[in-house]
Amino acid sequence: MALSYGLELETDLSPKQVLQILSQKLDLKWQQETLHGSGVMINSHIEDEDNQLLFAEKLGYKPSVFVGFRVNPNQDFEEGMRTMIRACMNLLTQIKGNAVLLFNYETIVFQRINHELIFNQEMREPWIDAEMTNLNTPYKLQSLVSPLL
C-alpha cells in the first residue's frame, strides 16, 4: 500500500505546467498524465473549491493546485521520499506562493507560509536533513500542529 502525500500550492500555474517543471528538473518519466520515478508516482490537478475554502479558513491561503505523491514503502522507499522532497523544493523555487505538504491529507510535513519554510519536527527523518543540506535551502524545524485534524 502506497503512502500518500499532497502538496497544496498557491500558484497561477496549471497542473500540467507544474508537472512539466518537475519532468524537466528531475529524472521522471511520463506515463499518461502522471510522472513516475524510482519509488514514487506524481500527479496534479486543480484544487476543488471546498478544499480551497477549508485552507483559507484554517491556514490563511487558497491553494489552486494539488500535487499528489504516492510513495511505495516496499520498493525504493528512500529514493521515492528523496524525489518527493526534491520535487517540492524545485516547485517552491519556481512558485512564490504559499504551500503545505501533507501526509495522508492531514499531517503537516512542511509549510511555507508568508515566505517562511518550516519543517514539522515530529515528521523529521534523516533523509529530509540530507536532502535539505544538498539543496542548500534555508528552513526551520518546529512542531506544527495541523489545523486540519
Side-chain angles (χ1 to χ4, degrees):
M1 181 171 172
L3 303 176
S4 296
Y5 292 83
L7 183 63
E8 298 280 357
L9 289 172
E10 180 181 49
T11 180
D12 292 333
L13 297 176
S14 72
K16 181 83 169 184
Q17 288 172 312
V18 167
L19 291 178
Q20 287 171 336
I21 289 170
L22 295 180
S23 72
Q24 292 169 1
K25 298 285 185 180
L26 304 171
D27 186 26
L28 301 170
K29 306 291 183 226
W30 284 99
Q31 248 183 24
Q32 297 173 347
E33 295 296 313
T34 62
L35 294 174
H36 292 260
S38 182
V40 67
M41 181 178 73
I42 306 168
N43 61 44
S44 186
H45 61 80
I46 293 172
E47 188 54 275
D48 66 53
E49 191 174 329
D50 288 341
N51 279 343
Q52 287 181 352
L53 294 174
L54 176 67
F55 271 77
E57 176 186 329
K58 301 290 187 179
L59 289 163
Y61 81 99
K62 282 186 171 183
S64 55
V65 172
F66 174 85
V67 182
F69 299 90
R70 307 254 319 150
V71 180
N72 187 339
N74 300 316
Q75 177 189 1
D76 298 327
F77 173 72
E78 188 172 322
E79 185 58 29
M81 297 298 280
R82 288 177 179 272
T83 299
M84 178 180 68
I85 291 297
R86 285 184 209 123
C88 290
M89 293 305 113
N90 270 291
L91 289 173
L92 292 185
T93 60
Q94 299 285 320
I95 298 165
K96 302 304 175 199
N98 295 314
V100 173
L101 179 65
L102 298 169
F103 171 64
N104 281 344
Y105 307 103
E106 56 188 19
T107 303
I108 297 174
V109 177
F110 73 75
Q111 67 182 28
R112 184 177 74 185
I113 307 290
N114 298 323
H115 309 289
E116 182 177 45
L117 181 59
I118 302 171
F119 273 83
N120 188 348
Q121 179 72 36
E122 280 72 40
M123 297 294 288
R124 186 176 188 181
E125 295 286 342
W127 53 265
I128 290 177
D129 294 336
E131 277 307 308
M132 296 308 289
T133 299
N134 289 340
L135 294 169
N136 198 26
T137 302
Y139 68 98
K140 295 186 338 186
L141 279 172
Q142 72 182 53
S143 292
L144 295 172
V145 177
S146 177
L148 303 172
L149 293 174

